[in-house]
Amino acid sequence: LAISTVQHMKKSESHRPNAKSYLLLLQCCANLLPSGSVECEKALSSIFRSCRKDGLVNRQVLKQFQSTVSTEAYHREVVRDAPTYDGIKSLPETWTRGLGYRPRTRSGTDGDGMVTEKRNPIISVGGEVIGSTAYNDHRMRRRWEKKNQKVLQGGRS
């Protein structure tokens, strides 16, 4: 039932699956299928590949997948082809592209005068967020914006 629901959501124009949908689907399969069976591992790997393809792998999905499949399957699906970022194996950007982080644009010197910077967090294969300069700058700007809004509204700074 859970698998057919996500498949229906993928075909729907109004309801698209998100990272939470895949997390719940992984949890359903892990709880309903016999633990450690070949059938369970194939189903979980298939779900994870679909999540990767849709660009919706977040920390929770990665941790759930890691905790429910064998070490060999996790290594085969995640670690083996992972690129390195500052010496740490991390998830490819295509796996996290659909998480809802919007690109930030600023004026620049390219053809149309706008430069787009990604601000997706970089996630290691172990599920930890790797602090990149662009992502840390984004977080700091958001904190400043919130503080400035409070000051403008007469709140404490």
Side-chain angles (χ1 to χ4, degrees):
L1 180 64
I3 293 172
S4 65
T5 302
V6 171
Q7 289 174 342
H8 180 69
M9 288 173 69
K10 283 179 145 186
K11 294 175 185 174
S12 171
E13 292 294 322
S14 58
H15 297 93
R16 305 293 299 166
N18 57 18
K20 184 75 171 186
S21 305
Y22 284 107
L23 176 64
L24 294 173
L25 187 56
L26 286 170
Q27 290 172 343
C28 285
C29 287
N31 290 329
L32 296 174
L33 296 174
S35 180
S37 70
V38 175
E39 177 188 8
C40 180
E41 198 152 293
K42 280 184 179 181
L44 292 169
S45 293
S46 175
I47 293 165
F48 185 75
R49 282 192 296 273
S50 181
C51 184
R52 278 188 340 207
K53 182 181 168 197
D54 291 345
L56 296 170
V57 178
N58 65 8
R59 292 173 61 195
Q60 292 83 15
V61 168
L62 189 65
K63 287 290 189 183
Q64 180 66 36
F65 183 69
Q66 183 178 20
S67 68
T68 53
V69 297
S70 67
T71 306
E72 295 83 21
Y74 185 76
H75 183 53
R76 182 179 59 248
E77 295 290 337
V78 179
V79 180
R80 184 180 59 195
D81 298 325
T84 317
Y85 179 82
D86 285 344
I88 300 170
K89 289 249 186 193
S90 60
L91 301 184
E93 284 186 43
T94 56
W95 293 12
T96 60
R97 73 182 180 281
L99 291 177
Y101 297 100
R102 295 177 312 225
R104 184 176 64 86
T105 56
R106 62 181 172 91
S107 59
T109 58
D110 65 346
D112 61 355
M114 299 299 275
V115 174
T116 303
E117 295 178 10
K118 284 199 167 251
R119 59 183 191 193
N120 288 3
I122 299 168
I123 302 172
S124 74
V125 294
E128 296 84 26
V129 174
I130 301 170
S132 68
T133 306
Y135 183 65
N136 288 337
D137 289 348
H138 157 70
R139 287 178 40 204
M140 188 57 71
R141 272 192 301 281
R142 290 210 42 210
R143 288 182 183 140
W144 288 335
E145 288 171 5
K146 286 180 182 180
K147 183 177 179 180
N148 290 339
Q149 286 173 355
K150 284 182 181 179
V151 170
L152 290 173
Q153 294 171 357
R156 286 189 247 164
S157 57

